[in-house]
Amino acid sequence: MAFRRRNKSYPFFSQEFLIQNHADIVFGLVIFILIALMFEFSSVFLSLCLEGESTLYHYGWKDCATILFYLFIAIILHAVVQEYLLDKVNRRLHLSKSKNTKFNESGQLCVFHLVSSVWSFYILVTEGYLLHPSSLWENYPHSHLRFQVKFFYLTQLAYWLHALPELYFQKVRKEEISRQLQYICLYLLHISAAYLLNLTRVGLVLLFLQYVSELGFHIARLLYFTDESHQKMFDLWAISFVFTRMVTLTLMFLSVGFGLARAENQGLDLEMGNFNTVLIRMTVLLLVCLTQSWLLWKFIRFQLRCWREFRHEQAVRKRTAAKQTLRPLKRDSLAHHENGVLKAENGASPRTKKLKSP
């Protein structure tokens, strides 16, 4: 039996290649789920066998291979969401190229933020961090992690690393690349710092707050693209944005500035994973404060620009309305013309009367 050879070839890991081989994608997703469940069940089984002792993990060089594996999984999931969800909606909306790019970006991030916010909230509840806020800095360093915490951080790093090649796959415009690179690098920097400095508990709370705030923004932008009259969601997002910034700064000063400063184990110990020194604490606080201040500055500038555009539109509407209502009549006092029609002084018709025949 002879097989025909395809003339068209697709580059490896491009979206066309992934979409054409959707059967392999589904099979790969099944294998991925089975591997995750296998690790989860194995950790639970070991914890039961060890008489209540749970299996703990710490980071190392082998995490790079794991992150690389989940990076490929993230690229596959990105292509599936783009093809089977976002592209179908784009065909119905008929958006322009600039709006189409922003719609795809918000759609992808909306799915990711929704999954990550629910996942992080589940971890916070099961680990007991919400009921006991002091556990965020007590018993530092938190070098040994449960499976769900370690798996969460590895998938977060894999997703934001996959966003870098997606800039090429999605053919993002040059004007948008710098803006997207800014928040991608910020996410990678903060998540890596929390993971490597053993500040995973504080990082979980901050990521949950950030993802919930960003989820509101991208939902508002998607609704705006479908119907431009939907603008109330942006007001709710503005309130949540400011609230997130305030809570983030308060929590960082409470946990890092006061909690770790009063801990007994002060000093640098690489083997134990202890980074509780004054220099590292001040560096972390400075990094978070600068990031939050920069985000607030961009937010204030954006709100002022929107307010100026709104005031300008209102002024233009008032001028056009005044011109239409106060439009003067064109009169000629000598010939008694009104709007191009000849009129007499007493309002009678200017036409000459016909004389009756005798």
Side-chain angles (χ1 to χ4, degrees):
M1 182 177 180
F3 293 93
R4 294 182 180 179
R5 185 177 182 181
R6 294 182 180 179
N7 294 327
K8 187 176 181 180
S9 59
Y10 297 104
F12 189 63
F13 280 114
S14 64
Q15 289 188 354
E16 292 84 357
F17 177 82
L18 297 173
I19 293 167
Q20 290 293 330
N21 297 272
H22 58 276
D24 295 335
I25 293 173
V26 175
F27 178 76
L29 290 176
V30 173
I31 297 299
F32 164 70
I33 295 172
L34 291 176
I35 292 173
L37 291 175
M38 182 182 65
F39 275 102
E40 182 67 24
F41 289 146
S42 63
S43 63
V44 174
F45 177 76
L46 288 175
S47 63
L48 292 175
C49 293
L50 295 176
E51 297 179 356
E53 294 182 1
S54 59
T55 305
L56 301 177
Y57 303 87
H58 58 86
Y59 62 83
W61 292 106
K62 295 181 180 179
D63 292 341
C64 297
T66 307
I67 292 173
L68 182 63
F69 171 74
Y70 290 117
L71 184 146
F72 294 145
I73 298 297
I75 293 176
I76 294 173
L77 294 176
H78 190 111
V80 171
V81 172
Q82 183 67 38
E83 174 66 18
Y84 294 100
L85 181 62
L86 297 179
D87 287 346
K88 292 182 179 180
V89 178
N90 283 330
R91 291 165 190 166
R92 296 182 179 180
L93 295 178
H94 302 289
L95 300 174
S96 60
K97 291 184 179 180
S98 59
K99 290 185 178 181
N100 191 11
T101 303
K102 294 180 180 180
F103 183 86
N104 292 332
E105 177 190 3
S106 294
Q108 294 286 347
L109 291 177
C110 187
V111 175
F112 171 73
H113 289 321
L114 178 61
V115 174
S116 297
S117 58
V118 173
W119 191 4
S120 59
F121 181 75
Y122 172 78
I123 295 175
L124 292 175
V125 172
T126 54
E127 296 292 333
Y129 299 153
L130 293 180
L131 299 178
H132 304 283
S134 60
S135 61
L136 298 178
W137 60 83
E138 289 180 351
N139 299 323
Y140 181 84
H142 309 137
S143 57
H144 295 85
L145 307 175
R146 293 179 182 269
F147 172 78
Q148 58 179 356
V149 180
K150 181 179 177 64
F151 185 60
F152 176 80
Y153 272 93
L154 292 181
T155 53
Q156 294 296 311
L157 291 173
Y159 180 86
W160 291 113
L161 284 174
H162 110 281
L164 297 175
E166 283 295 336
L167 296 176
Y168 171 75
F169 293 152
Q170 293 290 329
K171 298 179 180 179
V172 180
R173 297 185 304 171
K174 294 182 179 179
E175 296 81 7
E176 295 289 331
I177 290 178
S178 61
R179 181 185 61 83
Q180 294 189 22
L181 280 176
Q182 287 178 357
Y183 68 78
I184 291 173
C185 294
L186 284 176
Y187 274 114
L188 287 174
L189 177 62
H190 286 77
I191 295 173
S192 301
Y195 185 67
L196 296 177
L197 297 178
N198 295 320
L199 297 173
T200 52
R201 299 182 180 181
V202 183
L204 271 172
V205 180
L206 298 183
L207 283 176
F208 169 72
L209 295 173
Q210 177 66 21
Y211 287 157
V212 170
S213 176
E214 290 297 311
L215 177 63
F217 170 73
H218 291 293
I219 290 176
R221 194 157 74 163
L222 289 176
L223 293 176
Y224 176 77
F225 286 143
T226 56
D227 188 1
E228 294 185 358
S229 61
H230 295 291
Q231 296 184 356
K232 294 183 179 179
M233 282 293 296
F234 286 106
D235 298 333
L236 297 177
W237 165 75
I239 297 173
S240 66
F241 182 86
V242 177
F243 176 77
T244 303
R245 304 284 80 76
M246 297 297 103
V247 174
T248 299
L249 292 174
T250 303
L251 185 61
M252 284 301 298
F253 277 101
L254 180 63
S255 58
V256 179
F258 294 97
L260 293 182
R262 296 180 180 180
E264 296 179 357
N265 51 351
Q266 300 284 337
L268 180 63
D269 190 354
L270 298 179
E271 295 182 357
M272 296 295 296
N274 186 11
F275 300 93
N276 192 7
T277 62
V278 178
L279 179 61
I280 295 177
R281 289 200 305 268
M282 295 302 295
T283 303
V284 171
L285 288 175
L286 182 62
L287 175 63
V288 175
C289 290
L290 288 177
T291 303
Q292 302 304 314
S293 302
W294 180 69
L295 292 174
L296 279 174
W297 172 246
K298 289 187 63 177
F299 174 77
I300 293 172
R301 288 183 59 186
F302 174 75
Q303 294 296 328
L304 289 176
R305 185 180 62 186
C306 293
W307 179 73
R308 290 172 184 172
E309 292 178 355
F310 178 73
R311 291 292 300 271
H312 180 70
E313 290 179 358
Q314 282 189 339
V316 172
R317 290 177 182 176
K318 289 181 180 180
R319 290 174 186 174
T320 54
K323 288 181 180 179
Q324 291 177 358
T325 55
L326 300 177
R327 190 172 183 179
L329 297 176
K330 297 180 181 180
R331 293 180 177 272
D332 191 352
S333 59
L334 295 177
H336 300 287
H337 286 83
E338 182 175 358
N339 293 332
V341 179
L342 183 63
K343 294 217 181 245
E345 292 183 358
N346 56 358
S349 177
R351 292 179 294 180
T352 57
K353 295 181 179 180
K354 294 183 179 179
L355 297 177
K356 294 182 179 180
S357 58

